[in-house]
Amino acid sequence: MTSVQEPPASQEARTEPAGPGGGGGAGRLRALAELPRPVKLGLATLFVMNAATYVAFPLLAVKLTTVDHASAVQIGTTLTVFLLAARLTPVVAGPLADRYDPRIVMAVGALARSIGFLGLGLGHGTAQLLVSAFLAGVGAIYEAPVSALLAAQPEPLRSRAFALENALLNAGVIGGPALAAALLAVGPRAPFVASGVLFVLLLLVVRGITMPGGEGGAGDRQEAPQSVLRHFKNVLGHRWFVGFWLLMLPWWFLFTQLGVAVPLRSDALADTSWISVLYLANGVVGITSILFVKRLHDRYGARLMPALGYLLVAVGFGSVAFGRSPWWLLACVALYSVGETVILFSSQLILASFAGGSTRASFFGIYAGSWALGGSVGNYAGSRLAADPLSHTPWLLFGAVGLVAAVVAALTFSRRDI
């Protein structure tokens, strides 16, 4: 089918100064002030949602082990249920947000994650934990309507908004664990309770977010409402989107190694506390590098950025094989984090260029299926390949996957102006 094309890198955007909103801190503050109020509210809620998630989720395996005395099978099953719920339910929720009021989907997502994390913190039986993990995962449906809101903005506001989104999500990765560290003084369940409360607070602001197309949904006012099935057909009939969905499978395979192979390597080289240092570095590099990444986008557009991101990730992970110092691993993770920022930022803009009219949330929701498939394979393969955490072989394989994906991305998107 012929898609609605909204190029995310207009000439105006390509020539604006560096950074999310221009040169220097004053320019960035001015760019933030220029964003519409619903966009600022949406970005603020994404920060709260990511921070609230990272207050509790990094402690989940520890809590299940030390407090609930769960078996390895119970822990693995709980984490798998969370992952699949978080990445498969948006596939359906995205089209639902386009068909109905997207704020309903956002409210359900916030409420589900609130109940889920409260249940994970306060519950202990297998059935309770699995239901809670499912609800916590379902909370991810909140993200697609907000991404659709950002995608509906004209340039240069759109790229500014996505750059700020990336920075705020990384800030949540830093702020959440910092809050959790303070709450652990109260008790091991306190971070989960705090997470549930923060998600409830999101419900208070969702109603105030005006979505594109007015009260009725995310689509344009002049378009007649379409069925959910029609939204699926429109998205899956978009040849470039399907190609991009497949192209990003290696990325999600590699992305999951930050939670599988990297911690295993870190624990073997140093101790468990070093894992927190690596995650802190990942978040800090993500925040600081977004200015550089935004400048690249403004100058060259998003077309070749996935290839650049894959290349940086390939070099970062592949280089792990050439050193056995925890500081060397930290440097490799920092380089990987720059590539991660490039890929995540550019992928949002590329999806926005595909999405238009009444299908914006559908594109972002169905795209989550790529994460579900690639991430699931990455979790399994990473744990098997990294069974010997000091082996060089897994990291050379991860680097090879990134290099092949970089070549395919360069050849694919060199033929399309994005």
Side-chain angles (χ1 to χ4, degrees):
M1 60 169 283
T2 302
S3 64
V4 178
Q5 297 299 328
E6 298 179 68
S10 66
Q11 189 61 35
E12 180 183 3
R14 292 172 190 259
T15 57
E16 67 172 329
R28 290 191 290 274
L29 290 175
R30 184 170 59 253
L32 178 60
E34 291 173 357
L35 291 174
R37 181 175 178 274
V39 173
K40 287 187 280 190
L41 281 176
L43 289 171
T45 61
L46 280 181
F47 165 73
V48 174
M49 187 166 198
N50 218 39
T53 298
Y54 278 90
V55 167
F57 186 73
L59 301 173
L60 179 57
V62 175
K63 185 263 180 185
L64 292 175
T65 301
T66 60
V67 178
D68 300 326
H69 306 291
S71 66
V73 173
Q74 287 176 309
I75 295 173
T77 303
T78 300
L79 295 175
T80 300
V81 167
F82 177 88
L83 172 66
L84 293 179
R87 296 306 145 202
L88 290 179
T89 52
V91 173
V92 177
L96 286 173
D98 280 328
R99 176 63 180 85
Y100 304 103
D101 190 338
R103 290 170 301 183
I104 296 176
V105 174
M106 295 167 66
V108 170
L111 182 61
R113 188 151 281 189
S114 173
I115 297 173
F117 275 119
L118 284 172
L120 288 171
L122 302 178
H124 56 274
T126 299
Q128 288 177 307
L129 291 174
L130 293 181
V131 171
S132 298
F134 175 78
L135 290 174
V138 167
I141 65 177
Y142 189 98
E143 299 164 5
V146 180
S147 294
L149 170 64
L150 304 188
Q153 305 307 310
E155 283 292 359
L157 293 182
R158 178 194 293 171
S159 57
R160 290 175 182 171
F162 279 122
L164 287 167
E165 177 198 38
N166 190 286
L168 289 170
L169 290 177
N170 278 291
V173 173
I174 297 173
L179 177 59
L183 290 170
L184 282 174
V186 178
R189 302 181 191 274
F192 294 88
V193 175
S195 178
V197 171
L198 286 172
F199 283 116
V200 170
L201 294 178
L202 287 183
L203 293 172
L204 303 179
V205 298
V206 166
R207 184 65 184 174
I209 301 177
T210 304
M211 306 300 293
E215 298 290 324
D220 295 334
R221 288 180 181 272
Q222 66 270 25
E223 295 189 36
Q226 301 182 43
S227 68
V228 172
L229 181 59
R230 174 59 63 182
H231 283 297
F232 272 105
K233 290 182 178 179
N234 287 343
V235 173
L236 297 179
H238 192 298
R239 179 172 61 90
W240 280 104
F241 169 79
V242 173
F244 183 69
W245 194 97
L246 295 171
L247 176 67
M248 297 306 287
L249 287 173
W251 159 242
W252 297 119
F253 171 86
L254 294 170
F255 178 78
T256 57
Q257 304 315 318
L258 194 64
V260 180
V262 169
L264 290 173
R265 180 83 170 188
S266 174
D267 191 53
L269 294 176
D271 53 42
T272 305
S273 63
W274 195 255
I275 299 173
S276 299
V277 176
L278 296 178
Y279 271 90
L280 177 62
N282 177 251
V284 170
V285 172
I287 290 176
T288 55
S289 64
I290 188 59
L291 302 178
F292 165 73
V293 173
K294 176 65 165 57
R295 181 181 299 174
L296 284 179
H297 167 262
D298 293 341
R299 187 173 181 84
Y300 300 109
R303 182 174 59 178
L304 295 180
M305 290 182 72
L308 173 61
Y310 268 129
L311 180 61
L312 292 171
V313 169
V315 175
F317 273 170
S319 298
V320 173
F322 301 105
R324 290 195 173 185
S325 164
W327 291 101
W328 178 257
L329 179 61
L330 178 64
C332 293
V333 168
L335 180 58
Y336 155 85
S337 299
V338 178
E340 174 188 282
T341 303
V342 173
I343 290 180
L344 292 178
F345 175 65
S346 62
S347 65
Q348 293 286 77
L349 291 174
I350 291 171
L351 286 172
S353 77
F354 298 153
S358 62
T359 59
R360 290 189 181 96
S362 299
F363 276 95
F364 285 95
I366 294 174
Y367 172 66
S370 179
W371 189 343
L373 179 57
S376 296
V377 175
N379 281 333
Y380 175 77
S383 60
R384 291 294 297 272
L385 290 172
D388 179 4
L390 295 180
S391 172
H392 299 325
T393 303
W395 301 100
L396 295 175
L397 288 174
F398 296 151
V401 170
L403 286 176
V404 172
V407 172
V408 174
L411 293 176
T412 300
F413 284 98
S414 63
R415 301 177 299 174
R416 188 178 196 274
D417 185 22
I418 297 176

